[in-house]
Amino acid sequence: MVIVDCFSHPQVRPNDFLIACGDGNSILTALRWSDWKPNFAAGRGLNVVNDCQPFCAAGTFHPYPVTVRLDRSQPWNENPHQRHFTQLRLVFADSRPSGMPRVVTYQLWN
């Protein structure tokens, strides 16, 4: 079971994972995985997010503690014999980026 990164590289229990592939304004860092199973993975880390104030190129990155869950495994298009997680869910522990809900779900690429 893997999670596929922005560069189509399969990762197992990555320490870091880029969420915002296009602009790099959101990344998971310091990941520590408590579970990595065929049907789900769970862990904790930091979601480091650019506040884009006054605009993204001049923004500041802020770390937010999160719990992470990966779900919905499917065969990977690049290697159908390899399964990968297709859903990423973050739950912000305390503070969170302005305007962001406490729980955020992302559909990951194939």
Side-chain angles (χ1 to χ4, degrees):
M1 186 55 59
V2 299
I3 184 171
V4 179
D5 68 17
C6 295
F7 309 101
S8 294
H9 298 132
Q11 304 288 321
V12 176
R13 294 180 179 259
N15 294 324
D16 303 302
F17 186 77
L18 183 61
I19 296 173
C21 293
D23 58 18
N25 285 325
S26 180
I27 187 170
L28 294 172
T29 64
L31 291 170
R32 300 292 176 254
W33 300 97
S34 56
D35 291 293
W36 194 276
K37 299 181 178 186
N39 57 335
F40 80 98
R44 295 183 181 276
L46 297 173
N47 185 196
V48 182
V49 180
N50 187 348
D51 63 16
C52 291
Q53 297 296 322
F55 51 91
C56 291
T60 302
F61 283 85
H62 302 275
Y64 301 94
V66 291
T67 58
V68 180
R69 184 170 171 107
L70 300 171
D71 289 293
R72 297 195 180 164
S73 68
Q74 295 180 2
W76 182 24
N77 288 346
E78 301 255 338
N79 179 357
H81 299 291
Q82 176 71 66
R83 294 184 70 80
H84 73 110
F85 294 112
T86 62
Q87 182 173 279
L88 166 67
R89 185 181 66 178
L90 303 180
V91 179
F92 290 91
D94 298 314
S95 61
R96 59 184 181 261
S98 178
M100 184 147 323
R102 186 172 167 276
V103 178
V104 180
T105 302
Y106 298 97
Q107 300 307 312
L108 300 175
W109 38 92
N110 280 325

